Amino acid sequence: MTAYILHVCIIMVLFSMLSLSLNIAVGMTGLVSLGHAAFFGIGAYASGLMMLCGLPFEVSLVLSGIVTSVFGIILAVPSLRVKDDYLAIVTLGFGIIAVIILMNMDITGGPDGLTGIPPASVFGVALTSKPVYFAFCSSILAIMVLTTSRLKASKVGRAWAAIRDNDTVAMFMGINIYYYKVLCIVISSFWAGIAGSLYAHYTGYINPMTFGMQTSIMILAMVVLGGIGSIPGSIIGASVLVLLPELLRGFEAHQGIFYGALLVTMMVLRPQGIMGKMKVTDIFARGS
Amino acid sequence: MLVVSNLHCYYGRIHALKGISLHVKSGEIVVLIGGNGAGKSTALKAISGIVQAASGTVTFNNNDITHISPDKIVMAGISHVPEGRRIFPRLTVEDNLLLGAFTRRDSSEIKKDMGKMKELFPVLANRSKQYAGTLSGGEQQMLAIARGLMSRPSLLLLDEPTMGLAPVIAQDIYRQVIYLNKEQGLAILIVEQNARIALGLAERGYIIETGRIMLEGNCRELKQSNEIKRAYLGKDYREVWE
């Protein structure tokens, strides 16, 4: 039983990282992404492959974040010419392409995925036991929360907020909006990659389907439910949406109904999410 | 100080500016008058680098800034207050002001300037923690101007600063604009639809119609021009022509 609870807790922490990393793009900068799970997947595969090639965990964890950022730049440089709904569609395409590539490359194991990914170990100490791994992931989440909140209050965060509110006026202020948008994607994808790495070494097995559109939309739902632009909201949103299916396991067949009903009710009664200040329509589907 | 010569701009296929030439000397208030779609705002955007010029040049203090990015233009000392008081509604008044100083790195001086802005526009003083979107229209315009001043410009571009505001508030805003010009020597280029206010305010003016400068000159002379009386000042036809 404790093993099960710890398992749910670890997944909660990993999805908190994902939802917070997406919130950096969506909530703080107004860049809508429907393909965030692709970054999660890139991090997971990068880290798995690097460790299978014999790199130590510490190195592959950090490198997987960096590799994912590089993919973030590859996506950002051409796609940031468009914004809002158009950007959402571009990122949706990116997510689909990423899964297809993972599915068809030999090195990634195709549809079978990667197996036998070694578990994490830091400085020779294996992190195989669940409580230890939970503590490890939580501390990385803590670092992430800390750096993100510092960033949000800094000049960079202010530039992001300006871009989110009105990117033309941000240009009037002398903000190089292209640079700050790319920076945002780099940081957002870095953390998604780290979450991917932690996930790969936790399960030991990954396959492309985990990183598809379903997951992207799930992460976005966590952001919206928790509160667009809110750091604690990201964690609460992720926790609720990870916990809920577990709590509803007794109602196997009706699980989806409850899940959907919760989201619909939320959007009607509290469109700004649990902790947020902005409504979905402040970011999506706004006329510019 | 600012010299624009033979500037052409396009929006896609639309030829928005068809060879505009104008200049602003230091310490001067110059006004750009014209109807909707005449190209007034485009002219300002081309100066501040938001819209790319197809041909022609913009020079500022003898430096060519025609194809320079907007952030470099702000750093060079041109600040553009966009039309429709586009403040950042979901940020506080203070954050809006700080964003105005985005290109600056001297944080202690920025703090001092924040204080100055609150003296200049007292309504902003006790609202610094309030979301800018909750301010009234006039207050938002004052914030937009204050935000524009935070970059310490030597030339301020004001795009229809009194659009949609009550006359009393419009007067208030222009009083501050004149103060900035007279007391601080700030050069100001104003775009205005209301020709009566504009001509009373500035020393020189340009009349722009469908992307071309139709008339230019001293404001006192412009006010006497029959053409202007008829088209912009709403004078009775008979008074002008008979």
Side-chain angles (χ1 to χ4, degrees), chain B residues 79-121:
Chain B
S79 183
H80 186 159
V81 179
E83 78 185 306
R85 30 177 194 281
R86 308 239 286 273
I87 42 95
F88 299 109
R90 282 186 297 269
L91 297 179
T92 61
V93 168
E94 196 168 76
D95 279 341
N96 268 274
L97 290 175
L98 284 171
L99 276 163
F102 191 81
T103 51
R104 291 169 56 185
R105 291 178 199 287
D106 46 346
S107 46
S108 60
E109 287 293 303
I110 291 175
K111 259 207 195 100
K112 270 191 217 159
D113 282 3
M114 298 264 284
K116 277 188 204 160
M117 290 311 143
K118 287 170 190 171
E119 277 171 37
L120 199 56
F121 300 102

Side-chain angles (χ1 to χ4, degrees), chain A residues 6-274:
Chain A
L6 276 168
H7 168 75
V8 174
C9 288
I10 290 171
I11 298 296
M12 254 162 54
V13 170
L14 295 183
F15 271 93
S16 296
M17 294 175 78
L18 286 171
S19 108
L20 180 50
S21 68
L22 180 61
N23 218 340
I24 293 173
V26 175
M28 295 183 198
T29 321
L31 305 173
V32 182
S33 170
L34 292 178
H36 202 61
F39 292 131
F40 181 37
I42 290 165
Y45 272 92
S47 190
L49 286 169
M50 279 189 273
M51 243 181 125
L52 286 172
C53 291
L55 282 179
F57 171 72
E58 303 89 322
V59 177
S60 47
L61 176 67
V62 175
L63 276 183
S64 64
I66 294 170
V67 167
T68 313
S69 297
V70 171
F71 277 92
I73 294 174
I74 294 172
L75 168 71
V77 166
S79 64
L80 286 180
R81 295 179 186 287
V82 296
K83 57 183 186 180
D84 299 341
D85 318 17
Y86 301 100
L87 181 64
I89 292 171
V90 172
T91 54
L92 179 69
F94 172 75
I96 294 169
I97 293 168
V99 171
I100 292 175
I101 289 176
L102 290 176
M103 195 94 90
N104 286 288
M105 274 188 4
D106 289 333
I107 191 172
T108 59
D112 298 337
L114 277 187
T115 48
I117 299 168
S121 66
V122 177
F123 304 121
V125 183
L127 304 176
T128 33
S129 89
K130 282 202 166 79
V132 175
Y133 202 62
F134 173 66
F136 181 72
C137 293
S138 304
S139 46
I140 291 190
L141 176 64
I143 294 171
M144 184 182 175
V145 167
L146 218 66
T147 53
T148 311
S149 52
R150 287 292 290 276
L151 212 54
K152 194 181 173 188
S154 74
K155 200 170 172 176
V156 174
R158 224 178 291 129
W160 285 346
I163 291 169
R164 178 194 65 208
D165 269 16
N166 192 328
D167 62 351
T168 313
V169 183
M171 274 166 85
F172 285 103
M173 298 299 105
I175 298 169
N176 183 337
I177 62 170
Y178 197 64
Y179 168 79
Y180 281 98
K181 281 181 178 179
V182 173
L183 181 68
C184 166
I185 298 290
V186 165
I187 293 172
S188 165
S189 54
F190 175 84
W191 285 115
I194 296 283
S197 167
L198 292 171
Y199 176 80
H201 299 295
Y202 174 60
T203 56
Y205 163 73
I206 47 178
N207 85 53
M209 294 323 291
T210 316
F211 309 112
M213 205 169 76
Q214 277 252 312
T215 312
S216 289
I217 288 173
M218 168 104 137
I219 301 168
L220 191 58
M222 289 168 176
V223 169
V224 172
L225 180 74
I228 290 170
S230 158
I231 294 173
S234 308
I235 295 168
I236 294 170
S239 304
V240 169
L241 289 191
V242 169
L243 263 182
L244 205 63
E246 303 299 335
L247 296 176
L248 294 173
R249 272 202 196 281
F251 309 92
E252 202 75 71
H254 308 296
Q255 216 191 72
I257 299 176
F258 285 114
Y259 200 90
L262 172 82
L263 288 179
V264 172
T265 318
M266 248 338 254
M267 284 306 97
V268 173
L269 296 180
R270 204 176 155 76
Q272 69 272 48
I274 298 168

Side-chain angles (χ1 to χ4, degrees), chain B residues 30-41:
Chain B
V30 175
V31 69
L32 201 54
I33 301 169
N36 284 330
K40 305 175 302 268
S41 298

